[in-house]
Amino acid sequence: MIALLRRDLALALRSGGGFGLSLAFFLIVVMFVPFGIGPNSATLATIAPGILWIGALLACLLSLDRIFQLDYEDGSLDLLATAPLPLEGVVAMKALAHWLTTGLPLTLAAPLLGFLLNLPAGGYFWMFLSLLVGTPALSFLGTFGAAITVGLKRGGLLLSLLVLPLYIPTLIFGAQSVTLHLQQLSNATAFSVLAAISLFTFALIPFAAARALRVNLR
Amino acid sequence: MSLWEYANPRRFMRLTDIVLPWSAGGAALLMTVGLIWGFFFTPDDYEQGSTVKIIFIHVPAAMLAINTWFMMLVTSLVWLIRRHHVSALAAKAAAPVGVTMTLIALFTGAIWGEPMWGTYWAWDPRLTSFMILFVFYLGYIALWAAIEDPDTAADLTSILCIVGSVFAFLSRYAVMFWNQGLHQGASLSLDKAQHVADVFSNPLYVSIAGFILFFIAMVLLRTRTEIRARRMSALIARERQEAA
Amino acid sequence: MLSVTNLGCRRGDLRVLSGVTFRLAAGQALILRGPNGSGKTTLLRTLAGLAPPDGGHIDAPEDEIAYAGHADGLKSQLTVAENLRFWAQMFGQRTIRPALDTFQLAALANRQAANLSAGQKRRLGLSRMLVTGRRIWLLDEPTVSLDSASTAVFAAMIGDHLAAGGLAVIATHIDLGLSAAQSLDITPFKARPEAHANPFLDGAFT
């Protein structure tokens, strides 16, 4: 399992698309918000948690179609499916690799981009923590979408259409974890449900995605 | 003789040959009676005026919008577990009906919302849930359309339907947490006190029965079309194989 | 070791093969013959467990099958050694040295797979079989883009594998000169269209 994770990380690093692209995209989305709604700091401060969450979520989408597509095209996926590691394990490792190259860098960058949006001082810790806990769910759900669309020639747009609705609960509870805290309210429920959704996706998605992969390989 | 026998396309066609005209006729009759009764022979509500009469469309459409998804979930599970082709095709056939009902519920709700709440749209949990249900339908239908091999499409859409159901359900609780909302409680319920006066509820029941029969007729008709399409491609494939 | 009884194979909606039956003992190889499109690839994918069988039985020891398809499954950004080491680790093997030596890849070990020729890629893809540590090899057109010297090396590699008690099922058109090889023409197993195989052809309705 570790071998697969190491290979995917090496591939992400060497092909250059891994960390860089989604981070750059995240920066651009965040930069566009003041252009779209005006530079008023008070307005930006109110919407900052939501914008950072939406930006991270969209940046996460960008690299999803690469999770299985390249392995499918060069035959590696056939070979992985006949290797001793169960496909469920392959899915989990692929999702983890995607998170390490996308979700984690986005989480680390979010507090910095928070400055640009005038995120109030109390929000940084929860912004970081909610993304840290919530982005793995985005990677796992995205891996599921990638497994469903792997056999399709132009699956990219469809992948977004399938995956984005699945992101709704994570987005709501993630952004609420920050917003409620900024409104001096308890965010305990929102944050624990966010964590629960992530744990739930770890448990459920490998099986669903492996099933979809088997269908696509036969 | 068990229920599963109707999962055979031929038996299904034979059964629905009989059922379809009755359900279609019943739908036409009950919808006409229910809607005319509701629109023209009920008094105006003392608060809502005549706008209340939109419930005769809004409530049945909303009920069907949700229950169609449940039906797709059940038929998807039947396909994955027992691999009955008709079941998968019924799910495929139901989705466009469900998405239309969702749209009708959203539009009639908007038309009703304007006089009642002073706005066509509010990010109320119920309205938002229907919007979310709408995008889940869109993804499901798009996936069916994108995959060429019918069995692969049936498998993948079924998996999507199951995972989607879980997350649609989670989304519903998420939006309830996120915003408490304007929408009144359910208009009809078995255990709570009645929210709707009898003078409205009787034509509403007729209208709901009509909508349900309409749904059955539409799904049967569309499933029959799908079965014929599959039979046609199977016949073409057999001819090609025999020629080769 | 590998016994296949009455196996049916399907590709998508179409039944391709039916009634495929053969037995292989340790040290034997089976060469699959048949024209293009006759179902050699489908049969190998079914044996590998990638496609579900359409009836019949495959009796093989658990976790002993290794499959190599048309595509080599190489990552062009990784070096030859890294590609091989990855698969060795996936199959729980430690050393890749013998595999590198078999196909004279040691000199290329640190070259990126992107810079290999088609024949070199194929050699690397085939040497992957050596790091699986598995006894039943399923090979689909293994000699494509190999020159005659490499083909001979490949035949020798199969010979060694069989001599060590391994098995191989190989879809190929060329003669590998293997003494322990039986040949199986799969044309007679071509599936006839059967009414009951497809529920949509069952009975008459319009």
Side-chain angles (χ1 to χ4, degrees), chain C residues 9-205:
Chain C
C9 302
R10 96 187 4 257
R11 186 173 50 223
D13 229 5
L14 208 68
R15 282 163 65 89
V16 181
L17 296 170
S18 64
V20 179
T21 304
F22 63 85
R23 282 181 63 85
L24 276 188
Q28 288 183 316
L30 184 74
I31 310 292
L32 297 178
R33 308 246 180 226
N36 290 339
S38 58
K40 298 189 293 293
T41 297
T42 309
L43 175 57
L44 286 173
R45 288 182 72 86
T46 309
L47 291 176
L50 289 168
D54 186 26
H57 290 286
I58 304 169
D59 283 318
E62 190 99 352
D63 287 336
E64 278 296 355
I65 290 181
Y67 167 78
H70 293 277
D72 291 315
L74 302 178
K75 290 294 170 190
S76 52
Q77 298 97 329
L78 300 182
T79 65
V80 169
E82 283 171 329
N83 267 301
L84 215 47
R85 197 170 298 121
F86 165 67
W87 289 111
Q89 285 167 340
M90 287 301 288
F91 282 88
Q93 301 289 306
R94 281 163 200 278
T95 170
I96 60 166
R97 191 71 211 178
L100 281 176
D101 289 338
T102 304
F103 272 108
Q104 294 105 41
L105 289 164
L108 302 170
N110 292 319
R111 190 185 284 195
Q112 290 219 323
N115 303 328
L116 296 180
S117 73
Q120 287 167 331
K121 281 183 183 161
R122 191 86 260 217
R123 273 152 60 194
L124 176 54
L126 290 172
S127 59
R128 188 185 63 83
M129 300 305 282
L130 292 168
V131 300
T132 61
R134 295 195 159 184
R135 292 176 64 191
I136 305 175
W137 289 1
L138 307 175
L139 300 159
D140 197 358
E141 300 289 359
T143 54
V144 170
S145 59
L146 289 187
D147 57 21
S148 55
S150 301
T151 306
V153 173
F154 168 71
M157 168 178 128
I158 296 290
D160 290 346
H161 177 63
L162 299 180
L167 284 75
V169 180
I170 308 168
T172 184
H173 296 289
I174 64 159
D175 184 19
L176 293 168
L178 297 167
S179 53
Q182 334 166 10
S183 190
L184 181 71
D185 183 2
I186 63 164
T187 326
F189 300 119
K190 183 175 157 54
R192 277 172 298 282
E194 283 172 56
H196 293 287
N198 188 332
F200 293 97
L201 295 176
D202 177 22
F205 63 83

Side-chain angles (χ1 to χ4, degrees), chain B residues 5-241:
Chain B
E5 304 239 340
Y6 295 106
N8 172 294
R10 181 170 51 87
R11 285 181 173 277
F12 178 85
M13 293 302 267
R14 216 162 55 191
L15 176 74
T16 52
D17 261 339
I18 305 161
V19 176
L20 182 58
W22 285 99
S23 54
L29 181 72
L30 289 181
M31 281 170 88
T32 314
V33 171
L35 291 180
I36 290 179
W37 184 2
F39 288 160
F40 300 108
F41 298 95
T42 56
D44 286 356
D45 186 78
Y46 73 98
E47 248 178 0
Q48 308 193 9
S50 55
T51 57
V52 71
K53 293 179 178 182
I54 207 162
I55 61 167
F56 300 113
I57 297 174
H58 179 72
V59 171
M63 285 175 73
L64 280 179
I66 297 170
N67 287 304
T68 304
W69 186 276
F70 282 133
M71 178 225 145
M72 283 157 51
L73 175 62
V74 172
T75 46
S76 296
L77 282 168
V78 170
W79 161 250
L80 283 182
I81 296 165
R82 302 203 53 149
R83 303 205 79 76
H84 288 312
H85 286 86
V86 175
S87 189
L89 293 180
K92 182 185 185 185
V97 184
V99 80
T100 311
M101 290 297 169
T102 313
L103 266 185
I104 292 174
L106 282 170
F107 272 101
T108 53
I111 295 167
W112 195 7
E114 208 282 327
M116 291 319 304
W117 305 330
T119 173
Y120 286 106
W121 180 261
W123 288 97
D124 161 276
R126 259 176 203 256
L127 276 65
T128 313
S129 300
F130 268 81
M131 189 70 114
I132 292 171
L133 184 61
F134 181 64
V135 291
F136 273 97
Y137 272 121
L138 288 188
Y140 179 86
I141 294 170
L143 187 61
W144 263 111
I147 305 169
E148 275 172 33
D149 181 72
D151 280 0
T152 306
D155 277 325
L156 294 177
T157 52
S158 297
I159 297 168
L160 178 72
C161 184
I162 291 164
V163 174
S165 300
V166 173
F167 279 83
F169 191 73
L170 275 175
S171 302
R172 172 154 173 68
Y173 283 89
V175 294
M176 277 160 65
F177 173 82
W178 161 78
N179 192 347
Q180 304 306 322
L182 297 167
H183 200 287
Q184 67 216 48
S187 301
L188 291 173
S189 91
L190 295 174
D191 50 345
K192 288 190 212 128
Q194 290 243 319
H195 292 277
V196 179
D198 282 341
V199 66
F200 292 117
S201 64
N202 288 332
L204 182 55
Y205 288 136
V206 176
S207 175
I208 288 172
F211 267 76
I212 292 173
L213 282 178
F214 173 73
F215 167 79
I216 292 172
M218 283 304 285
V219 171
L220 290 182
L221 184 67
R222 294 180 51 82
T223 310
R224 286 166 63 88
T225 313
E226 295 292 343
I227 289 175
R228 289 194 176 110
R230 282 295 296 274
R231 179 173 169 85
M232 211 156 77
S233 57
L235 286 170
I236 292 171
R238 183 169 69 179
E239 250 172 43
R240 200 179 300 145
Q241 206 172 13

Side-chain angles (χ1 to χ4, degrees), chain A residues 140-196:
Chain A
F140 270 77
L141 291 171
T143 307
F144 170 69
I148 291 250
T149 54
V150 69
L152 298 171
K153 292 264 167 359
R154 285 178 296 279
L157 196 57
L158 181 65
L159 176 58
S160 307
L161 182 60
L162 298 185
V163 166
L164 281 175
L166 302 178
Y167 281 177
I168 292 169
T170 304
L171 170 64
I172 289 178
F173 288 111
Q176 289 284 306
S177 300
V178 189
T179 321
L180 288 176
H181 178 76
L182 290 177
Q183 292 167 353
Q184 319 292 328
L185 297 166
S186 162
N187 64 358
T189 315
F191 187 72
S192 15
V193 177
L194 178 71

